Coordinates of all heavy atoms in Angstrom, one line a residue:
M27 N 23.6 143.2 -157.4 CA 22.5 142.5 -156.7 C 21.8 143.4 -155.6 O 20.6 143.4 -155.5 CB 23.0 141.2 -156.2 CG 21.9 140.4 -155.6 SD 20.9 139.8 -156.9 CE 19.8 138.7 -156.0
I28 N 22.7 144.1 -154.9 CA 22.1 144.9 -153.8 C 21.3 146.1 -154.3 O 20.2 146.3 -153.8 CB 23.3 145.4 -152.9 CG1 23.8 144.2 -152.2 CG2 22.8 146.5 -152.0 CD1 24.9 144.5 -151.3
P29 N 21.6 146.8 -155.4 CA 20.7 147.8 -155.9 C 19.4 147.3 -156.4 O 18.3 147.9 -156.2 CB 21.5 148.5 -157.1 CG 22.9 148.2 -156.8 CD 22.9 146.9 -156.1
L30 N 19.4 146.0 -156.9 CA 18.2 145.4 -157.3 C 17.3 145.1 -156.1 O 16.1 145.2 -156.1 CB 18.5 144.1 -158.1 CG 17.3 143.3 -158.7 CD1 16.7 144.2 -159.7 CD2 17.8 142.0 -159.2
I31 N 17.9 144.6 -155.0 CA 17.1 144.4 -153.8 C 16.5 145.7 -153.2 O 15.4 145.7 -152.8 CB 18.0 143.7 -152.7 CG1 18.4 142.3 -153.2 CG2 17.3 143.6 -151.4 CD1 19.5 141.6 -152.3
I32 N 17.3 146.7 -153.2 CA 16.8 148.0 -152.7 C 15.7 148.5 -153.6 O 14.7 149.0 -153.1 CB 18.0 149.0 -152.6 CG1 19.0 148.6 -151.5 CG2 17.5 150.4 -152.4 CD1 20.3 149.4 -151.5
A33 N 15.8 148.4 -154.9 CA 14.8 148.9 -155.8 C 13.5 148.0 -155.7 O 12.4 148.6 -155.7 CB 15.3 148.9 -157.3
G34 N 13.7 146.7 -155.5 CA 12.5 145.9 -155.3 C 11.8 146.2 -154.0 O 10.6 146.2 -153.9
S35 N 12.6 146.4 -152.9 CA 12.0 146.8 -151.7 C 11.2 148.1 -151.8 O 10.1 148.2 -151.2 CB 13.1 147.0 -150.6 OG 12.6 147.5 -149.4
F36 N 11.8 149.1 -152.5 CA 11.1 150.3 -152.7 C 9.8 150.1 -153.5 O 8.7 150.7 -153.1 CB 12.0 151.3 -153.4 CG 11.4 152.7 -153.6 CD1 11.3 153.5 -152.6 CD2 11.0 153.1 -154.9 CE1 10.7 154.8 -152.7 CE2 10.4 154.3 -155.1 CZ 10.3 155.2 -154.0
L37 N 9.8 149.3 -154.5 CA 8.6 149.1 -155.3 C 7.6 148.4 -154.5 O 6.4 148.8 -154.5 CB 9.0 148.3 -156.5 CG 7.9 148.0 -157.5 CD1 7.4 149.2 -158.2 CD2 8.3 147.0 -158.5
I38 N 7.9 147.3 -153.8 CA 6.9 146.6 -153.0 C 6.4 147.4 -151.9 O 5.1 147.4 -151.7 CB 7.6 145.3 -152.4 CG1 7.9 144.3 -153.6 CG2 6.7 144.6 -151.4 CD1 8.8 143.1 -153.1
S39 N 7.2 148.1 -151.2 CA 6.7 149.0 -150.1 C 5.8 150.1 -150.6 O 4.9 150.5 -149.9 CB 7.8 149.5 -149.2 OG 8.7 150.2 -149.9
T40 N 6.1 150.6 -151.8 CA 5.3 151.7 -152.4 C 3.9 151.2 -152.7 O 2.9 151.8 -152.4 CB 6.0 152.3 -153.6 OG1 7.2 152.8 -153.3 CG2 5.1 153.4 -154.2
I41 N 3.9 150.0 -153.3 CA 2.6 149.4 -153.7 C 1.8 149.1 -152.4 O 0.6 149.5 -152.4 CB 2.8 148.2 -154.5 CG1 3.4 148.5 -155.9 CG2 1.5 147.4 -154.7 CD1 3.8 147.4 -156.7
L42 N 2.4 148.5 -151.4 CA 1.7 148.2 -150.2 C 1.2 149.5 -149.5 O 0.0 149.5 -149.0 CB 2.6 147.4 -149.2 CG 2.8 146.0 -149.6 CD1 3.8 145.4 -148.6 CD2 1.5 145.2 -149.4
S43 N 2.0 150.5 -149.3 CA 1.7 151.6 -148.5 C 0.6 152.5 -149.2 O -0.3 153.0 -148.6 CB 2.9 152.5 -148.2 OG 3.5 152.9 -149.4
V44 N 0.7 152.6 -150.6 CA -0.3 153.4 -151.3 C -1.7 152.6 -151.2 O -2.7 153.3 -151.0 CB 0.1 153.6 -152.8 CG1 -1.1 154.1 -153.6 CG2 1.2 154.6 -152.8
R45 N -1.7 151.3 -151.4 CA -2.9 150.6 -151.3 C -3.6 150.7 -149.9 O -4.7 150.9 -149.8 CB -2.7 149.1 -151.6 CG -3.9 148.3 -151.5 CD -3.6 146.9 -151.9 NE -3.8 146.8 -153.3 CZ -3.7 145.7 -154.0 NH1 -3.4 144.6 -153.5 NH2 -3.9 145.8 -155.3
I46 N -2.8 150.6 -148.9 CA -3.3 150.6 -147.5 C -3.8 152.0 -147.2 O -4.8 152.2 -146.6 CB -2.3 150.1 -146.5 CG1 -2.1 148.6 -146.7 CG2 -2.6 150.5 -145.1 CD1 -1.4 147.9 -145.6
E47 N -3.0 153.0 -147.7 CA -3.4 154.4 -147.4 C -4.8 154.7 -148.1 O -5.6 155.4 -147.5 CB -2.4 155.4 -147.9 CG -2.8 156.8 -147.5 CD -1.7 157.8 -147.9 OE1 -0.6 157.4 -148.2 OE2 -2.0 159.0 -148.0
R48 N -4.9 154.3 -149.3 CA -6.2 154.5 -150.0 C -7.4 153.8 -149.4 O -8.5 154.3 -149.4 CB -6.0 154.2 -151.5 CG -5.2 155.3 -152.2 CD -5.2 155.1 -153.7 NE -4.5 156.1 -154.3 CZ -4.2 156.1 -155.6 NH1 -4.6 155.1 -156.4 NH2 -3.5 157.1 -156.1
E49 N -7.1 152.5 -149.0 CA -8.2 151.8 -148.4 C -8.6 152.2 -147.1 O -9.8 152.3 -146.7 CB -7.9 150.3 -148.4 CG -7.8 149.6 -149.8 CD -7.4 148.2 -149.7 OE1 -7.2 147.7 -148.6 OE2 -7.3 147.6 -150.8
S50 N -7.7 152.6 -146.2 CA -8.0 152.9 -144.8 C -8.2 154.4 -144.7 O -8.6 154.9 -143.6 CB -6.9 152.4 -143.9 OG -5.7 153.1 -144.1
K51 N -7.7 155.2 -145.6 CA -7.8 156.7 -145.6 C -7.0 157.3 -144.4 O -7.3 158.3 -143.8 CB -9.2 157.2 -145.4 CG -10.2 156.8 -146.6 CD -10.2 157.8 -147.7 CE -11.4 157.5 -148.6 NZ -11.0 156.7 -149.7
S52 N -5.9 156.5 -144.0 CA -5.1 156.9 -142.9 C -3.7 157.1 -143.4 O -3.0 156.1 -143.9 CB -5.1 155.8 -141.8 OG -4.2 156.2 -140.8
K53 N -3.2 158.3 -143.3 CA -1.8 158.6 -143.7 C -0.8 157.9 -142.9 O 0.2 157.4 -143.3 CB -1.6 160.2 -143.7 CG -0.3 160.6 -144.0 CD -0.2 162.1 -143.9 CE 1.2 162.6 -144.0 NZ 1.3 164.0 -143.7
W54 N -1.1 157.9 -141.6 CA -0.1 157.3 -140.6 C 0.0 155.8 -140.8 O 1.1 155.2 -140.6 CB -0.5 157.7 -139.2 CG -0.4 159.1 -139.0 CD1 -1.4 160.0 -138.8 CD2 0.8 159.9 -138.9 NE1 -0.9 161.3 -138.7 CE2 0.5 161.2 -138.7 CE3 2.2 159.6 -139.0 CZ2 1.4 162.2 -138.6 CZ3 3.1 160.6 -138.9 CH2 2.7 161.9 -138.7
L55 N -1.1 155.2 -141.1 CA -1.1 153.7 -141.3 C -0.3 153.4 -142.6 O 0.5 152.4 -142.7 CB -2.5 153.1 -141.4 CG -2.6 151.6 -141.4 CD1 -2.0 151.0 -140.2 CD2 -4.1 151.2 -141.5
G56 N -0.4 154.2 -143.6 CA 0.4 154.0 -144.8 C 1.9 154.2 -144.6 O 2.7 153.5 -145.1
M57 N 2.2 155.2 -143.8 CA 3.6 155.5 -143.4 C 4.2 154.3 -142.6 O 5.3 153.9 -142.8 CB 3.8 156.8 -142.7 CG 3.5 158.0 -143.6 SD 3.8 159.5 -142.6 CE 3.7 160.7 -143.9
L58 N 3.4 153.8 -141.7 CA 3.9 152.7 -140.8 C 4.1 151.5 -141.7 O 5.1 150.8 -141.5 CB 2.9 152.4 -139.7 CG 3.2 151.3 -138.8 CD1 4.5 151.6 -138.0 CD2 2.1 151.0 -137.9
T59 N 3.2 151.3 -142.7 CA 3.3 150.1 -143.6 C 4.6 150.3 -144.4 O 5.3 149.3 -144.6 CB 2.1 150.0 -144.5 OG1 1.0 149.9 -143.7 CG2 2.2 148.8 -145.4
A60 N 4.9 151.5 -144.9 CA 6.1 151.7 -145.7 C 7.3 151.4 -144.9 O 8.2 150.8 -145.4 CB 6.1 153.2 -146.1
F61 N 7.4 151.9 -143.6 CA 8.6 151.7 -142.8 C 8.7 150.2 -142.5 O 9.8 149.6 -142.6 CB 8.5 152.5 -141.5 CG 9.6 152.1 -140.6 CD1 10.9 152.6 -140.8 CD2 9.3 151.4 -139.4 CE1 11.9 152.2 -139.9 CE2 10.4 151.1 -138.6 CZ 11.6 151.5 -138.8
C62 N 7.6 149.5 -142.1 CA 7.7 148.1 -141.7 C 8.1 147.2 -142.9 O 8.9 146.3 -142.7 CB 6.4 147.7 -141.0 SG 6.1 148.4 -139.4
S63 N 7.5 147.5 -144.0 CA 7.8 146.6 -145.2 C 9.3 146.8 -145.6 O 10.0 145.9 -145.9 CB 6.9 146.9 -146.3 OG 6.9 148.2 -146.8
N64 N 9.8 148.1 -145.6 CA 11.2 148.3 -145.9 C 12.1 147.7 -144.9 O 13.1 147.0 -145.3 CB 11.5 149.8 -146.0 CG 11.3 150.4 -147.3 OD1 11.4 149.8 -148.3 ND2 10.9 151.7 -147.3
A65 N 11.8 147.8 -143.7 CA 12.7 147.3 -142.6 C 12.7 145.7 -142.7 O 13.7 145.1 -142.6 CB 12.2 147.7 -141.3
F66 N 11.5 145.1 -143.0 CA 11.4 143.7 -143.0 C 12.2 143.1 -144.2 O 13.0 142.2 -144.1 CB 10.0 143.2 -143.1 CG 9.8 141.7 -143.2 CD1 10.1 140.9 -142.1 CD2 9.5 141.2 -144.4 CE1 10.0 139.5 -142.3 CE2 9.4 139.8 -144.6 CZ 9.6 139.0 -143.5
I67 N 12.0 143.7 -145.4 CA 12.6 143.2 -146.6 C 14.1 143.4 -146.6 O 14.9 142.4 -146.8 CB 12.0 143.9 -147.9 CG1 10.6 143.4 -148.0 CG2 12.8 143.5 -149.1 CD1 9.8 144.2 -149.1
L68 N 14.6 144.6 -146.2 CA 16.0 144.8 -146.2 C 16.8 144.2 -145.1 O 17.9 143.7 -145.3 CB 16.2 146.3 -146.2 CG 15.7 147.1 -147.5 CD1 15.9 148.6 -147.3 CD2 16.5 146.6 -148.7
T69 N 16.1 144.0 -143.9 CA 16.8 143.3 -142.8 C 16.9 141.8 -143.2 O 17.9 141.2 -142.8 CB 16.0 143.5 -141.5 OG1 15.9 144.9 -141.3 CG2 16.8 142.9 -140.4
S70 N 15.8 141.3 -143.8 CA 15.9 139.9 -144.2 C 17.0 139.6 -145.2 O 17.7 138.6 -145.1 CB 14.5 139.4 -144.8 OG 13.5 139.6 -143.9
A71 N 17.1 140.5 -146.2 CA 18.2 140.4 -147.2 C 19.6 140.5 -146.5 O 20.5 139.8 -146.9 CB 18.0 141.4 -148.3
W72 N 19.7 141.4 -145.5 CA 21.0 141.6 -144.8 C 21.3 140.3 -144.1 O 22.5 139.9 -144.1 CB 20.8 142.7 -143.9 CG 22.1 143.1 -143.1 CD1 23.1 143.8 -143.6 CD2 22.4 142.7 -141.8 NE1 24.1 143.9 -142.7 CE2 23.7 143.3 -141.5 CE3 21.7 142.0 -140.8 CZ2 24.3 143.1 -140.3 CZ3 22.4 141.9 -139.6 CH2 23.6 142.4 -139.3
K73 N 20.4 139.7 -143.4 CA 20.6 138.4 -142.7 C 21.0 137.3 -143.7 O 21.8 136.4 -143.4 CB 19.5 138.0 -141.8 CG 19.3 139.0 -140.6 CD 18.3 138.5 -139.7 CE 18.3 139.5 -138.5 NZ 17.8 138.9 -137.3
L74 N 20.3 137.2 -144.8 CA 20.6 136.2 -145.8 C 22.0 136.3 -146.4 O 22.6 135.3 -146.7 CB 19.5 136.2 -146.9 CG 18.2 135.6 -146.5 CD1 17.2 135.8 -147.7 CD2 18.3 134.2 -146.1
Y75 N 22.5 137.6 -146.5 CA 23.8 137.8 -147.0 C 24.8 137.3 -146.0 O 25.9 136.9 -146.3 CB 24.1 139.3 -147.3 CG 23.9 139.6 -148.7 CD1 22.8 140.3 -149.2 CD2 24.9 139.3 -149.7 CE1 22.6 140.6 -150.5 CE2 24.7 139.6 -151.0 CZ 23.6 140.2 -151.4 OH 23.5 140.6 -152.7
G76 N 24.5 137.3 -144.7 CA 25.3 136.8 -143.6 C 25.5 135.3 -143.6 O 26.4 134.8 -143.1
L77 N 24.6 134.6 -144.2 CA 24.7 133.2 -144.3 C 25.6 132.7 -145.4 O 25.9 131.5 -145.4 CB 23.3 132.6 -144.5 CG 22.2 132.8 -143.4 CD1 20.9 132.3 -143.9 CD2 22.7 132.2 -142.1
D78 N 26.0 133.5 -146.3 CA 26.9 133.1 -147.4 C 28.3 132.9 -146.9 O 28.9 133.9 -146.4 CB 26.8 134.2 -148.5 CG 27.5 133.7 -149.8 OD1 27.8 132.5 -149.9 OD2 27.7 134.6 -150.6
D79 N 28.8 131.7 -147.0 CA 30.1 131.4 -146.5 C 31.2 132.1 -147.2 O 32.3 132.5 -146.7 CB 30.4 129.9 -146.5 CG 29.5 129.2 -145.5 OD1 29.2 129.8 -144.5 OD2 29.2 128.0 -145.7
E80 N 31.1 132.3 -148.5 CA 32.1 132.9 -149.3 C 32.4 134.3 -148.9 O 33.5 134.8 -148.8 CB 31.8 132.8 -150.8 CG 32.9 133.3 -151.7 CD 32.5 133.2 -153.2 OE1 31.7 132.3 -153.5 OE2 33.0 134.0 -154.0
T81 N 31.3 135.1 -148.7 CA 31.5 136.5 -148.3 C 32.1 136.6 -146.9 O 32.9 137.5 -146.6 CB 30.1 137.2 -148.3 OG1 29.2 136.6 -147.4 CG2 29.6 137.3 -149.7
R82 N 31.8 135.6 -146.0 CA 32.4 135.6 -144.7 C 33.9 135.3 -144.7 O 34.7 135.8 -144.0 CB 31.7 134.7 -143.7 CG 30.5 135.3 -143.2 CD 29.9 134.5 -142.1 NE 29.3 133.3 -142.6 CZ 28.9 132.3 -142.0 NH1 29.1 132.2 -140.7 NH2 28.3 131.2 -142.5
M83 N 34.3 134.3 -145.6 CA 35.7 133.9 -145.7 C 36.6 134.9 -146.3 O 37.7 135.2 -145.8 CB 35.8 132.6 -146.5 CG 35.3 131.4 -145.7 SD 35.4 129.8 -146.6 CE 37.0 129.8 -147.3
F84 N 36.1 135.5 -147.4 CA 37.0 136.4 -148.1 C 36.6 137.9 -147.9 O 37.3 138.8 -148.4 CB 36.8 136.1 -149.6 CG 37.3 134.7 -150.0 CD1 36.4 133.8 -150.4 CD2 38.6 134.4 -149.8 CE1 36.8 132.5 -150.7 CE2 39.1 133.1 -150.1 CZ 38.1 132.2 -150.6
G85 N 35.6 138.2 -147.2 CA 35.3 139.6 -146.9 C 34.7 140.3 -148.0 O 34.9 141.6 -148.1
I86 N 34.2 139.6 -149.0 CA 33.6 140.3 -150.2 C 32.3 140.9 -149.9 O 31.5 140.4 -149.2 CB 33.5 139.2 -151.3 CG1 34.8 138.6 -151.6 CG2 32.9 139.9 -152.5 CD1 34.7 137.4 -152.5
D87 N 32.1 142.1 -150.4 CA 30.8 142.8 -150.3 C 30.4 143.2 -148.9 O 29.2 143.1 -148.6 CB 29.8 142.0 -151.1 CG 28.6 142.9 -151.5 OD1 28.9 144.0 -151.9 OD2 27.5 142.4 -151.5
F88 N 31.3 143.5 -148.0 CA 30.9 143.9 -146.7 C 30.2 145.2 -146.7 O 29.2 145.4 -146.0 CB 32.1 143.9 -145.8 CG 31.7 144.1 -144.3 CD1 31.0 143.2 -143.6 CD2 32.0 145.3 -143.7 CE1 30.7 143.5 -142.3 CE2 31.7 145.6 -142.4 CZ 31.0 144.7 -141.7
Q89 N 30.7 146.2 -147.5 CA 30.1 147.5 -147.5 C 28.7 147.4 -148.2 O 27.8 148.2 -147.8 CB 31.0 148.5 -148.3 CG 32.2 148.8 -147.6 CD 33.3 147.8 -147.8 OE1 33.2 146.9 -148.6 NE2 34.4 147.9 -147.0
G90 N 28.6 146.6 -149.2 CA 27.3 146.5 -149.9 C 26.2 145.9 -148.9 O 25.0 146.3 -149.0
R91 N 26.6 145.0 -148.1 CA 25.7 144.5 -147.1 C 25.2 145.5 -146.1 O 24.1 145.6 -145.7 CB 26.4 143.3 -146.4 CG 25.5 142.6 -145.5 CD 26.2 141.4 -144.9 NE 25.5 140.9 -143.8 CZ 26.0 140.4 -142.7 NH1 27.3 140.2 -142.6 NH2 25.3 140.0 -141.7
N92 N 26.1 146.4 -145.7 CA 25.7 147.5 -144.8 C 24.9 148.5 -145.5 O 24.1 149.2 -144.9 CB 27.0 148.2 -144.3 CG 27.6 147.3 -143.2 OD1 27.0 146.4 -142.6 ND2 28.9 147.5 -143.0
A93 N 25.0 148.6 -146.9 CA 24.2 149.6 -147.6 C 22.7 149.2 -147.5 O 21.8 150.0 -147.6 CB 24.6 149.6 -149.1
L94 N 22.4 147.9 -147.3 CA 21.0 147.5 -147.2 C 20.4 148.1 -145.9 O 19.3 148.6 -145.9 CB 20.9 146.0 -147.1 CG 21.2 145.2 -148.4 CD1 21.3 143.7 -148.1 CD2 20.2 145.5 -149.4
L95 N 21.2 148.1 -144.8 CA 20.6 148.7 -143.6 C 20.6 150.2 -143.6 O 19.7 150.8 -143.1 CB 21.5 148.2 -142.4 CG 21.4 146.8 -142.0 CD1 22.3 146.5 -140.8 CD2 20.0 146.3 -141.8
L96 N 21.6 150.8 -144.3 CA 21.6 152.3 -144.4 C 20.5 152.8 -145.3 O 20.2 154.0 -145.3 CB 23.0 152.7 -144.8 CG 24.1 152.5 -143.8 CD1 25.4 152.9 -144.4 CD2 23.8 153.3 -142.6
S97 N 20.0 152.0 -146.2 CA 19.0 152.4 -147.1 C 17.6 152.4 -146.5 O 16.7 153.0 -147.1 CB 19.0 151.6 -148.4 OG 18.7 150.3 -148.1
I98 N 17.4 151.8 -145.4 CA 16.1 151.8 -144.7 C 15.6 153.2 -144.5 O 14.5 153.6 -144.9 CB 16.1 150.9 -143.5 CG1 16.3 149.5 -143.8 CG2 14.7 151.1 -142.7 CD1 16.4 148.5 -142.7
P99 N 16.3 154.1 -143.8 CA 15.8 155.4 -143.5 C 15.6 156.3 -144.8 O 14.7 157.1 -144.9 CB 16.8 156.1 -142.6 CG 17.9 155.2 -142.6 CD 17.6 153.9 -143.1
I100 N 16.5 156.0 -145.8 CA 16.5 156.8 -147.0 C 15.2 156.4 -147.8 O 14.5 157.3 -148.3 CB 17.7 156.6 -147.8 CG1 18.9 157.2 -147.1 CG2 17.6 157.3 -149.2 CD1 20.3 156.7 -147.7
L101 N 15.0 155.1 -147.9 CA 13.8 154.7 -148.7 C 12.5 155.1 -147.9 O 11.5 155.5 -148.6 CB 13.8 153.2 -148.9 CG 14.8 152.7 -149.9 CD1 14.7 151.1 -150.0 CD2 14.6 153.3 -151.2
T102 N 12.5 155.0 -146.6 CA 11.3 155.4 -145.9 C 11.0 156.9 -146.0 O 9.9 157.3 -146.2 CB 11.5 155.1 -144.4 OG1 11.9 153.7 -144.3 CG2 10.3 155.4 -143.6
W103 N 12.1 157.7 -146.0 CA 11.9 159.2 -146.2 C 11.3 159.4 -147.6 O 10.4 160.3 -147.8 CB 13.2 159.9 -146.0 CG 13.1 161.3 -146.3 CD1 12.6 162.3 -145.4 CD2 13.5 162.1 -147.4 NE1 12.6 163.5 -146.0 CE2 13.2 163.4 -147.2 CE3 14.2 161.7 -148.6 CZ2 13.5 164.4 -148.2 CZ3 14.5 162.6 -149.5 CH2 14.2 164.0 -149.3
L104 N 11.9 158.7 -148.6 CA 11.3 158.9 -150.0 C 9.9 158.5 -150.1 O 9.1 159.1 -150.8 CB 12.2 158.1 -151.0 CG 13.6 158.7 -151.3 CD1 14.3 157.7 -152.2 CD2 13.4 160.0 -152.0
L105 N 9.5 157.4 -149.4 CA 8.1 157.0 -149.4 C 7.2 158.0 -148.7 O 6.1 158.2 -149.1 CB 8.0 155.6 -148.8 CG 8.4 154.5 -149.8 CD1 8.5 153.1 -149.1 CD2 7.4 154.4 -150.9
F106 N 7.7 158.6 -147.6 CA 6.9 159.6 -146.9 C 6.6 160.7 -147.9 O 5.5 161.3 -147.9 CB 7.6 160.1 -145.7 CG 7.6 159.1 -144.5 CD1 8.2 159.4 -143.4 CD2 6.9 157.9 -144.6 CE1 8.2 158.5 -142.3 CE2 6.9 157.0 -143.6 CZ 7.6 157.3 -142.4
M107 N 7.6 161.2 -148.6 CA 7.4 162.3 -149.6 C 6.5 161.9 -150.7 O 5.6 162.7 -151.0 CB 8.8 162.7 -150.2 CG 9.8 163.1 -149.2 SD 9.3 164.6 -148.2 CE 9.6 165.8 -149.4
L108 N 6.6 160.6 -151.2 CA 5.7 160.2 -152.2 C 4.3 160.1 -151.7 O 3.3 160.4 -152.4 CB 6.2 158.8 -152.7 CG 5.4 158.2 -153.8 CD1 5.6 159.0 -155.1 CD2 5.8 156.7 -154.0
L109 N 4.1 159.6 -150.5 CA 2.7 159.5 -149.9 C 2.1 160.8 -149.7 O 0.9 161.0 -149.9 CB 2.8 158.7 -148.6 CG 3.0 157.2 -148.7 CD1 3.1 156.5 -147.4 CD2 1.9 156.5 -149.5
S110 N 2.9 161.8 -149.3 CA 2.3 163.2 -149.1 C 1.9 163.8 -150.5 O 0.9 164.5 -150.6 CB 3.3 164.1 -148.4 OG 4.4 164.3 -149.1
Y111 N 2.7 163.5 -151.5 CA 2.4 163.9 -152.8 C 1.1 163.3 -153.3 O 0.2 163.9 -153.9 CB 3.5 163.6 -153.8 CG 3.2 163.9 -155.2 CD1 3.1 165.2 -155.7 CD2 2.9 162.9 -156.1 CE1 2.8 165.5 -157.0 CE2 2.6 163.2 -157.4 CZ 2.5 164.5 -157.9 OH 2.2 164.7 -159.2
I112 N 1.0 162.0 -153.1 CA -0.3 161.3 -153.5 C -1.5 161.8 -152.7 O -2.5 162.0 -153.3 CB -0.1 159.8 -153.3 CG1 0.9 159.2 -154.4 CG2 -1.4 159.0 -153.5 CD1 1.3 157.8 -154.2
R113 N -1.3 162.1 -151.5 CA -2.3 162.6 -150.6 C -2.8 163.9 -151.1 O -4.0 164.2 -151.2 CB -1.8 162.7 -149.2 CG -2.8 163.1 -148.2 CD -3.2 161.9 -147.4 NE -4.0 162.4 -146.3 CZ -5.0 161.7 -145.8 NH1 -5.3 160.5 -146.4 NH2 -5.8 162.1 -144.9
K114 N -1.9 164.8 -151.5 CA -2.3 166.1 -152.0 C -3.0 166.0 -153.3 O -3.9 166.7 -153.6 CB -1.0 167.0 -152.1 CG -0.5 167.5 -150.8 CD 0.8 168.3 -151.0 CE 1.5 168.7 -149.7 NZ 2.7 169.4 -150.0
R115 N -2.5 165.1 -154.1 CA -3.0 164.9 -155.5 C -4.5 164.4 -155.4 O -5.3 164.8 -156.2 CB -2.2 164.0 -156.3 CG -2.5 163.9 -157.7 CD -1.5 163.2 -158.5 NE -1.9 163.1 -159.8 CZ -1.7 162.1 -160.6 NH1 -1.1 161.0 -160.1 NH2 -2.2 162.0 -161.8
T116 N -4.7 163.5 -154.5 CA -6.1 162.9 -154.4 C -7.1 163.8 -153.7 O -8.2 163.7 -153.9 CB -6.1 161.5 -153.7 OG1 -5.5 161.7 -152.4 CG2 -5.3 160.5 -154.5
S117 N -6.5 164.7 -152.9 CA -7.4 165.7 -152.2 C -7.9 166.8 -153.1 O -8.9 167.4 -152.9 CB -6.8 166.3 -151.0 OG -5.7 167.1 -151.4
R118 N -7.2 167.0 -154.2 CA -7.6 168.0 -155.2 C -8.9 167.6 -156.0 O -9.6 168.4 -156.4 CB -6.5 168.3 -156.2 CG -5.4 169.1 -155.6 CD -4.4 169.4 -156.6 NE -3.1 169.7 -156.0 CZ -2.0 169.8 -156.7 NH1 -1.9 169.5 -158.0 NH2 -0.9 170.1 -156.0
R119 N -9.0 166.3 -156.1 CA -10.1 165.8 -157.0 C -11.4 165.8 -156.2 O -11.7 165.9 -155.1 CB -9.9 164.3 -157.4 CG -8.7 164.3 -158.3 CD -8.5 162.9 -158.7 NE -7.3 162.8 -159.6 CZ -6.8 161.7 -160.0 NH1 -7.4 160.5 -159.8 NH2 -5.7 161.7 -160.8

């Protein structure tokens, strides 16, 4: 379930950041959108995992829950690389 949440967050933040970067023509606004959307989605998922009583009682999936928070900088870095590639590609045309 956690890899699915991470992949969904990457997909949603990619779509949002590319759309905002193309509409506003601002690289920094696209990057800020990528970071904020990743942080919001993954932090929300992390908090929702904390509400599950079974995981708290038995200690199941504690590392996976932490993987959500650790993936925020990794996904943001990947999106920064993707946005710079898109920026270079659109400037050639």
